[in-house]
Amino acid sequence: MSKPLKILSIVVGSVVAVLILGSIALSLYVRTDDFRSRVEAGTTRAMGMQFSIEGALNVGLFPAPHITMQGVHVHNRGTELASVDEVHLRMSLLSLFRKRVDITVLHLDRPHILVERGSDGIFNVKRSTPPYVRRPHGPMEITVTDADIRFQGGEPGLMAEGHGCDAQMHDVRTEAPDGRNILQRISFTGDMTCHDAEADAAGRQVVATGVKAGATAGGAILVLQSFSLKLLGTQATGNLHMDLTHEPDHYAVSYSVPGFDVAKIFQALKLKDIAEGHADLRGELSFAGSEHKELTQSLSGHAFLYAKEIELHGYDLDGELSRFESSQHFDLLDLGAVFYAGPLGLVATKGYDFASIKRKGGTSHIHVLVARVKVEKGVATAEDVAMSTDRYRMAAQGAVDLPKQEFDDVTAAVVDAQGCVIAEQKISGTFKKPKLQKQSMLKVLTGPFRTLGRKAKSLVSKPGCKVFYSGSVIPY
């Protein structure tokens, strides 16, 4: 062997021996309480949050410097922000020679994360103490497996959580700490899946399964694009845009829920066996704020509901209408705002009494139901809200004030083929205590009211009547 090769082999052998001895020494040192305390203290200073390790702690050098920690806990502002069964991170070797830690790979296995707004209005993700390290980080590759994530608002009944979530985040970079929260300083691309997710606002719960979404973040803008989930028995899709550059935070969502099962809505409201059939729901809505009141007061956009061939059980709508002339007793709004205010009417019907529907008996066949609603600053106004049965056509006008939970000049009416009112009823008051005005029947027909069922397409009011409805639902 030549002299240079001998020298090289001696050098390489020495380096390998040093690394092996170093690994042995390091493996012994990491088992000491001193090393664990140093890691906990250093991470606490770097995060500006209380960091602790309850389980095993292991360090390795091959194939790159790495640390594995089990039973990790993070506390901040009096709450446990996160607990993780196992954390594995890989570091840049070059950064260690510079006496700094640059994480290149981070894996979180079975984390449990709680993002909570405290009584002081501050979220627990905001650092309780200034960070020790004030520099940007990245790029990193982050993976998360089997996570449970919960968001808890500052008021009772405002909650969202996901279970069994996996995520992959690429090219993750964070700007230097400057008082903003992490969502305002981070950038990445990635995707996420959750086995199931649920949200609860003011006692109204929505549960979804099979949640999937692509995500991008940067410049305090977070976008979930092409998210999909199974909702109301069907596959729903949409997009979510979060703008955190201003106070309050702004959100915009578009969604489509085609062919959902109508019965599942009533079941969610604990009103079983009311109706069956399928409908399409879509919309574009924007809102701002962090509390329920702020969100509803800023709600704006459009919502649209379309359904065909719906069966309403326990109520014979045509039979009740045909007896209206003699009895003069029929609540046009007895079906509730579901059939008049469409998707946003579900909010109103939460406090409305459906019991009278089930006591009457019979079945109603609704051929077409349309509910097109415009929302401005929390007030949902009917643009095209109507339905047709075997004999009759019903329509509604007016609005519902979601922040105040009040009906605003809502009128439901039976209309003839020309769209003029045959009978109408107005509703006012709150969602929980609606006030129904006495029904009125307008004597404007060319023939007896009872003939409407046989001549729904041809019967019209006297010339010059005021058209109440001119929307898309035509007489059946």
Side-chain angles (χ1 to χ4, degrees):
M1 181 182 295
S2 65
K3 187 174 182 179
L5 289 178
K6 288 182 179 180
I7 295 174
L8 179 61
S9 63
I10 292 173
V11 171
V12 172
S14 299
V15 171
V16 171
V18 169
L19 290 175
I20 292 175
L21 291 174
S23 297
I24 295 173
L26 183 61
S27 64
L28 294 174
Y29 178 55
V30 299
R31 298 175 185 176
T32 66
D33 293 336
D34 179 66
F35 180 77
R36 180 184 296 266
S37 298
R38 287 175 178 270
V39 171
E40 291 178 337
T43 307
T44 295
R45 290 196 303 270
M47 295 180 64
M49 303 177 185
Q50 187 63 42
F51 180 88
S52 62
I53 308 169
E54 292 186 355
L57 172 61
N58 295 296
V59 176
L61 297 177
F62 303 103
H66 61 272
I67 298 177
T68 300
M69 298 170 282
Q70 295 178 342
V72 170
H73 296 266
V74 178
H75 288 79
N76 192 42
R77 297 188 177 275
T79 65
E80 184 172 70
L81 173 61
S83 65
V84 190
D85 284 8
E86 183 173 282
V87 176
H88 178 83
L89 56 88
R90 185 177 298 179
M91 298 159 288
S92 166
L93 179 61
L94 183 59
S95 69
L96 296 180
F97 286 119
R98 296 174 178 173
K99 296 183 179 180
R100 55 187 270 182
V101 177
D102 285 344
I103 299 173
T104 59
V105 175
L106 174 64
H107 177 76
L108 306 177
D109 187 27
R110 295 182 296 278
H112 302 270
I113 301 171
L114 170 63
V115 179
E116 184 177 33
R117 185 173 186 174
S119 57
D120 56 1
I122 300 176
F123 284 99
N124 61 348
V125 293
K126 186 176 178 62
R127 302 175 192 265
S128 54
T129 60
Y132 179 75
V133 179
R134 292 184 174 274
R135 60 180 175 83
H137 294 274
M140 290 183 286
E141 293 291 311
I142 299 178
T143 60
V144 179
T145 57
D146 198 18
D148 289 337
I149 306 171
R150 180 182 177 93
F151 168 84
Q152 183 70 52
E155 56 188 283
L158 184 59
M159 176 277 296
E161 61 183 344
H163 307 282
C165 300
D166 298 334
Q168 297 80 38
M169 302 166 64
H170 311 292
D171 193 24
V172 182
R173 302 171 186 265
T174 60
E175 299 175 13
D178 56 5
R180 296 175 298 163
N181 64 48
I182 185 63
L183 291 178
Q184 294 173 312
R185 296 184 292 108
I186 195 170
S187 65
F188 65 87
T189 61
D191 55 80
M192 176 192 70
T193 64
C194 289
H195 179 269
D196 61 82
E198 61 180 290
D200 192 305
R204 298 173 179 89
Q205 189 178 56
V206 177
V207 180
T209 59
V211 181
K212 299 179 181 180
T216 60
I221 303 293
L222 175 63
V223 179
L224 298 181
Q225 67 267 21
S226 302
F227 72 75
S228 64
L229 48 87
K230 195 168 186 180
L231 181 68
L232 301 175
T234 192
Q235 199 70 24
T237 59
N239 297 281
L240 173 65
H241 185 278
M242 299 173 56
D243 185 345
L244 309 180
T245 59
H246 306 285
E247 288 286 347
D249 300 338
H250 285 70
Y251 307 85
V253 61
S254 61
Y255 58 90
S256 175
V257 191
F260 71 86
D261 191 340
V262 173
K264 291 186 179 298
I265 290 185
F266 292 101
Q267 290 172 5
L269 294 173
K270 297 180 174 57
L271 299 167
K272 298 181 180 179
D273 302 324
I274 294 290
E276 60 179 317
H278 293 83
D280 298 332
L281 175 64
R282 66 175 184 269
E284 296 181 355
L285 298 170
S286 63
F287 41 93
S290 57
E291 297 184 356
H292 181 259
K293 183 178 181 180
E294 292 177 319
L295 297 174
T296 54
Q297 287 178 336
S298 62
L299 188 65
S300 298
H302 292 83
F304 179 71
L305 177 71
Y306 177 80
K308 292 184 67 176
E309 312 307 333
I310 300 293
E311 292 287 337
L312 180 67
H313 301 300
Y315 196 88
D316 182 1
L317 179 59
D318 283 344
E320 292 294 323
L321 284 171
S322 66
R323 291 189 291 271
F324 178 82
E325 183 181 22
S326 59
S327 67
Q328 292 292 294
H329 180 74
F330 170 63
D331 286 341
L332 296 177
L333 290 167
D334 212 7
L335 305 183
V338 168
F339 294 108
Y340 303 109
L344 292 175
L346 293 175
V347 179
T349 59
K350 185 67 178 179
Y352 194 77
D353 182 13
F354 277 83
S356 59
I357 296 177
K358 301 201 71 174
R359 286 197 297 265
K360 293 177 185 286
T363 300
S364 298
H365 188 183
I366 301 172
H367 293 286
V368 176
L369 167 65
V370 168
R372 187 185 302 276
V373 178
K374 180 180 180 180
V375 190
E376 290 185 1
K377 296 182 178 180
V379 178
T381 303
E383 291 188 322
D384 183 2
V385 177
M387 67 180 180
S388 65
T389 66
D390 288 338
R391 300 182 180 181
Y392 303 106
R393 187 167 55 144
M394 300 180 68
Q397 293 181 356
V400 292
D401 190 318
L402 299 178
K404 296 181 180 179
Q405 296 193 348
E406 293 178 348
F407 294 96
D408 184 4
D409 194 26
V410 174
T411 302
V414 180
V415 297
D416 62 16
Q418 188 172 318
C420 296
V421 174
I422 297 170
E424 68 177 10
Q425 187 174 41
K426 296 183 181 296
I427 183 172
S428 60
T430 65
F431 296 165
K432 291 185 177 181
K433 294 182 179 180
K435 298 177 182 179
L436 303 179
Q437 295 184 6
K438 185 178 180 180
Q439 309 89 345
S440 61
M441 177 177 174
L442 305 185
K443 305 295 185 178
V444 295
L445 300 178
T446 57
F449 178 71
R450 61 181 176 273
T451 64
L452 179 60
R454 297 192 298 270
K455 299 182 180 180
K457 293 184 179 181
S458 60
L459 184 64
V460 297
S461 302
K462 292 179 180 179
C465 75
K466 182 179 179 180
V467 175
F468 179 86
Y469 177 74
S470 59
S472 60
V473 177
I474 62 175
Y476 178 70

